[in-house]
Amino acid sequence: MVINTGWCCEKMKAEIEMVGRAPTPFLYNQYFREYSIFIPKTNSVFHISFCPMCGKMLPESLRHEWYSILRTMFHLNPNDRDDRARIPEEFLTDEWWNKRNL
């Protein structure tokens, strides 16, 4: 289940929450707070800054902050297989950025 309380509109909420239950191109990564659209036949994603349904600006991605905190505070390289296994649980959900009011 996707956890997010700050949906820009009901249409986006419905699309994102359908992931895994029905085909939808919309993705939400809760630990990066990042919205994307899946591109069929390429197996890649396109990160979006505006809601395609209502046009509102989406929250800024926290991808850089996620990597920075893990590297500086925990001395982990998230790209390293051994370090990846040691990432604190809170960084695998939206808990880390909610805790820090980001």
Side-chain angles (χ1 to χ4, degrees):
M1 185 169 113
V2 174
I3 300 167
N4 182 353
T5 56
W7 298 109
C8 57
C9 67
E10 287 300 313
K11 287 182 180 180
M12 178 63 106
K13 177 182 178 188
E15 284 292 327
I16 297 285
E17 289 181 347
M18 289 303 292
V19 171
R21 293 182 287 184
T24 180
F26 300 101
L27 305 170
Y28 174 68
N29 180 314
Q30 65 178 321
Y31 58 89
F32 289 155
R33 193 178 67 191
E34 197 169 74
Y35 296 83
S36 305
I37 296 177
F38 178 72
I39 311 297
K41 298 182 183 178
T42 66
N43 289 334
S44 59
V45 296
F46 177 75
H47 300 291
I48 57 176
S49 300
F50 294 89
C51 174
M53 272 66 96
C54 71
K56 289 183 184 173
M57 182 178 250
L58 297 168
E60 189 174 327
S61 169
L62 296 173
R63 179 181 297 263
H64 297 292
E65 288 84 347
W66 187 84
Y67 277 95
S68 178
I69 290 170
L70 289 174
R71 285 186 176 125
T72 58
M73 290 181 64
F74 297 97
H75 307 289
L76 296 173
N77 177 356
N79 297 322
D80 179 85
R81 187 181 324 174
D82 294 331
D83 281 357
R84 193 144 183 92
R86 297 188 353 242
I87 294 174
E89 279 293 314
E90 73 175 287
F91 285 87
L92 302 177
T93 69
D94 60 356
E95 181 182 352
W96 75 271
W97 58 265
N98 278 313
K99 212 181 204 182
R100 291 164 177 79
N101 296 316
L102 297 176

